Amino acid sequence: MTRRSLILDTDPGQDDAIALLLALASPELVLDAVTTVAGNVPQPLVTENALGLLALADREDIPVYRGCERPMVRTLATAEHVHGPTGVDGAVLPKSTVGPRPEHGVDAIISRCLDADDGTVTLCPIGPLTNIAMAIVKDPRIVPKIREIVWMGGAFNEPGNTSSLAEFNAYVDPHAAHVVFTSGAPLTVFPLDVTHRALMLPEHVEALEAFGSAVAKAAAGMIRFYERHDIAKYGILGTPLHDPCVIAYLIDPEIFTGHEAHIAIDHADEDTIGNTSETPDREPNATVMTDLDADAFFSLVVDRVGSL
Ligand code: RIB
Ligand code: CA
């Protein structure tokens, strides 16, 4: 089996945490590095959370690089009301014994890309696209090195979750998303259109917790905290597991269905900022995922994270 390596760019975040743990639990993948970006909560919390998750999984061999402190243009908007003040409320993560590497996350993305052959680097941003965009702006030579950018973000035929139009990762840094969308790098997007169909139900959480490991109990605790916001907001029995969709796609792309499209993001008008849309009759610049086999998805998430 050829293992696929990836760089996870993340703003943990309980759903980010499940995505990271799923990557660690999957023999098809090699988590080369983690870069952190301000989003759900500010720096240094996102970096501490990434380090704590790797300590929880006994994988402190994986390097963590602290990335951007704020979006490219806008001031930082965070989501403690969803994720709690720590960003990973529902679990108490172990303290890291190693800390972040000294290189900035943007520079780590650049150096790892430039060291790679063309078309071989998979970047998995599951937060605002600030680090990815800054790396492209700082050194455009990385673009031909990129095999695929797989991003959780945007909302097309689905209302936003941060404004009526905009999804959080797009809303926080729409200028970064514009840089990435126009970069020419191969792009696969997991918007709310698909992630709102990845609803983690109580039976999934119970099955995960029943594995009994420290990882399984921490993961279940984080989801139980995280789900209260969406259950109250949407009145549904379950919580969308946004970010793990990116990792599940790398493991088994057949779980998902989508289509190619030209996508763009509003980044000027305050009333529509962060709105993502498809532009018909334009050369596609992305694959937009719109549906999934939820049973297959949750079987993967529960069995793998539970067994870590
Ligand atoms: O809109 C959902 C996205 O915003 C997820 O990545 C979640 O972690 C938050 O960052
Ligand atoms: Ca995230």
Side-chain angles (χ1 to χ4, degrees), residues 5 27 37 44 51 56 70 78-79 82 98 108 110 113 116 119 121 125 209 213 222 227 234 236 264 276 278:
S5 61
V37 64
L51 289 163
L56 172 72
R70 50 151 295 181
T78 53
V82 177
V98 294
I110 291 170
C113 282
V121 179
E209 192 168 44
S213 66
M222 283 189 278
E227 70 183 7
Y234 296 108
I236 48 179
T276 47
E278 295 187 12

Side-chain angles (χ1 to χ4, degrees), residues 81-115:
H81 61 291
V82 177
H83 298 274
T86 72
V88 286
D89 283 44
V92 178
L93 299 178
K95 283 284 177 234
S96 171
T97 63
V98 294
R101 299 294 174 88
E103 196 178 12
H104 190 280
V106 171
D107 295 326
I109 291 169
I110 291 170
S111 60
R112 285 169 177 268
C113 282
L114 295 183
D115 288 346

Side-chain angles (χ1 to χ4, degrees), residues 181-229:
F181 291 6
T182 56
S183 69
L187 175 62
T188 302
V189 177
F190 285 80
L192 298 181
D193 305 62
V194 62
T195 66
H196 273 177
R197 297 167 184 233
L199 287 183
M200 189 155 195
L201 302 173
E203 59 258 34
H204 299 137
V205 185
E206 287 153 20
L208 176 57
E209 192 168 44
F211 279 86
S213 66
V215 169
K217 285 188 277 190
M222 283 189 278
I223 293 163
R224 286 212 170 93
F225 178 89
Y226 171 63
E227 70 183 7
R228 87 217 179 287
H229 174 268

